[in-house]
Amino acid sequence: FPVTIRFRDTELQTRLLARGWKLDDRVKKTTKFLLVPDEARETTKVKAAREAGIQIVARSEAETILSNQ
C-alpha cells in the first residue's frame, strides 16, 4: 500500500517496508493512508488528503492498521 508519513519513526517505517508498503513524503492519488502524529493538526498534507478522500491515520492507530493488513 502506498502510505505517506508526516513524521519520522524509523521503527514504523521499517515494519511498513517489511510488509511491502511503499513510503512517500508526498500525498498522491495512489496514497492509501496518511500517517500523522495526531489528527488534530491541519497541515497542507492533511488538507490534501482530506480533499482526495485519503484515510488519515494518527500514529496511535497505526498499530491497528498494521495488524489488519
Side-chain angles (χ1 to χ4, degrees):
F1 297 101
V3 62
T4 300
I5 299 181
R6 236 203 96 256
F7 58 94
R8 299 291 174 236
D9 183 332
T10 54
E11 178 186 332
L12 177 60
Q13 290 175 345
T14 300
R15 292 172 59 204
L16 290 170
L17 290 169
R19 291 195 163 146
W21 290 43
K22 181 182 176 217
L23 305 180
D24 201 332
D25 292 330
R26 295 177 288 143
V27 174
K28 301 176 182 176
K29 290 180 183 179
T30 57
T31 301
K32 179 152 178 115
F33 300 105
L34 172 63
L35 296 179
V36 296
D38 65 75
E39 292 184 65
R41 291 187 62 196
E42 187 71 23
T43 65
T44 304
K45 286 183 184 179
V46 170
K47 185 177 178 181
R50 286 190 204 287
E51 290 172 358
I54 295 167
Q55 185 176 353
I56 300 167
V57 178
R59 171 62 179 103
S60 61
E61 298 171 25
E63 294 301 323
T64 303
I65 288 181
L66 278 171
S67 64
N68 291 332
Q69 297 297 322

